[in-house]
Amino acid sequence: ATTPRDLLAVPEVPRRLDEAAMAAHMIDVPLSPEASFFENIHQIPAAHLALWQPGRFSMRRYWQPDYSRRLNFRRDEDYVEAAREHLTQAVRCCLRTDQPIAAHLTGGLDSTAVATTAARQLAPTRLTARTAVPAEGVPVATFRNRFVDEGRYAQATAALYPNMESHLVAGTEVQRNELEPERMFLTIGQPLRNIMNVGWFGPMNDQARALGIGVMLAGGGGNLTLSWEGIPGLRDAARAGHLRRLWQEIQALAHKTGGSAARLAWSQALRPLLPLA
């Protein structure tokens, strides 16, 4: 089954939670690839096949990333192009469906990269893009280096693609999943982090479902991949003595955030190397 909920519908499957897995999840200890949050339900690890034969069950790994391989290009633009190739392939795989497709679209980089990649591949077929915005009349905080209302940035992006249709969605009602978090747990099979995001994305997804949208593209993993700022790498560069690279990265980060390079060097590269005392 794709989710534990389907398996729990079988009377013979016990519904006991795995308390050790719950505890590990709460303190950010990674679970084993086979673990779930139920004692009697196990996952097929990534890049594995499950094989059923008469009287026999086994798993076989069909792919293993080569962690020793390193990309070394002459120009920064070459790294961007290599990342674009992977993104294009990943999005293309998600478009293999006979159901209507929509996409989250924000004022940031991640879902925007996914949505625009999909629009290029789907053209001239239309792609519906949905953006969560504050409800009308709600006071919105202002910051020097960030924005809260993503609507105008999302619409500006959508305007660049003739086949992208932009919709702004304001969430005004409390979502059912906010009141009944156990429903979300049963659906996805694990505790939900950042529960406030249910109210943020819920209205967009509800509207899409009502319109018959079968696939919703999003950029949820982008913060750890394409738009990752690499701050832990500053500490690693300092520890390894790569001072030239360290200073280049700190200057670029300071320019992006509008902060002080010296303060970044101290807080993100040097201070983490000092003893806890």
Side-chain angles (χ1 to χ4, degrees), residues 87 108-114 218-230 256:
L87 177 63
L109 297 175
D110 303 318
S111 64
T112 299
V114 172
N223 290 348
L224 303 176
T225 52
L226 288 177
S227 64
W228 185 58
E229 292 181 332
K256 175 185 175 182

Side-chain angles (χ1 to χ4, degrees), residues 72-83 248-249 252:
N72 291 291
F73 295 136
R74 297 176 64 90
R75 306 179 307 150
D76 287 345
E77 292 80 1
D78 295 332
Y79 291 100
V80 173
E81 191 57 35
Q248 288 176 334
E249 295 292 340

Side-chain angles (χ1 to χ4, degrees), residues 21-244:
M22 288 284 190
H25 182 76
M26 291 175 67
I27 60 174
D28 282 335
V29 173
L31 304 181
S32 68
E34 299 87 3
S36 81
F37 293 94
F38 295 90
E39 286 186 0
N40 297 89
I41 296 178
H42 304 277
Q43 297 193 68
I44 300 173
H48 280 70
L49 292 174
L51 304 174
W52 279 272
Q53 295 172 322
R56 183 183 171 205
F57 170 79
S58 62
M59 283 194 293
R60 175 171 62 83
R61 184 161 199 148
Y62 64 85
W63 181 72
Q64 171 69 53
D66 183 2
Y67 293 111
S68 66
R69 184 173 175 233
R70 293 290 182 269
L71 294 177
N72 291 291
F73 295 136
R74 297 176 64 90
R75 306 179 307 150
D76 287 345
E77 292 80 1
D78 295 332
Y79 291 100
V80 173
E81 191 57 35
R84 186 187 299 276
E85 290 179 10
H86 285 292
L87 177 63
T88 299
Q89 180 181 0
V91 172
R92 184 185 299 120
C93 291
C94 295
L95 301 181
R96 296 183 301 195
T97 177
D98 57 358
Q99 302 182 70
I101 299 174
H104 288 172
L105 181 62
T106 68
L109 297 175
D110 303 318
S111 64
T112 299
V114 172
T116 54
T117 300
R120 287 196 297 270
Q121 296 188 48
L122 288 172
T125 302
R126 298 195 67 77
L127 173 67
T128 299
R130 312 191 93 76
T131 305
V133 295
E136 187 175 352
V138 172
V140 176
T142 57
F143 303 91
R144 185 164 63 95
N145 292 316
R146 66 187 70 175
F147 51 87
V148 176
D149 187 346
E150 304 183 276
R152 64 190 181 100
Y153 299 101
Q155 288 185 314
T157 299
L160 300 174
Y161 296 84
N163 64 322
M164 188 180 291
E165 184 179 307
S166 176
H167 293 270
L168 305 183
V169 182
T172 56
E173 302 296 329
V174 176
Q175 301 295 298
R176 183 179 176 186
N177 284 327
E178 294 180 279
L179 298 174
E180 304 174 24
E182 64 274 11
R183 292 181 68 252
M184 181 67 74
F185 176 77
L186 286 172
T187 300
I188 65 176
Q190 66 181 52
L192 184 67
R193 291 189 179 278
N194 300 326
I195 192 69
M196 72 288 292
N197 288 342
V198 173
W200 183 15
F201 293 111
M204 290 191 298
N205 296 335
D206 290 343
Q207 280 194 15
R209 188 179 299 110
L211 293 173
I213 299 296
V215 175
M216 178 67 82
L217 303 174
N223 290 348
L224 303 176
T225 52
L226 288 177
S227 64
W228 185 58
E229 292 181 332
I231 289 179
L234 303 179
R235 175 195 58 215
D236 296 338
R239 181 184 288 114
H242 299 155
L243 300 184
R244 179 181 177 185

Side-chain angles (χ1 to χ4, degrees), residues 76 229 231 234 244-262 264:
D76 287 345
E229 292 181 332
I231 289 179
L234 303 179
R244 179 181 177 185
R245 190 184 109 208
L246 172 64
W247 184 239
Q248 288 176 334
E249 295 292 340
I250 285 176
Q251 285 184 308
L253 192 59
H255 177 73
K256 175 185 175 182
T257 62
S260 163
L264 279 171

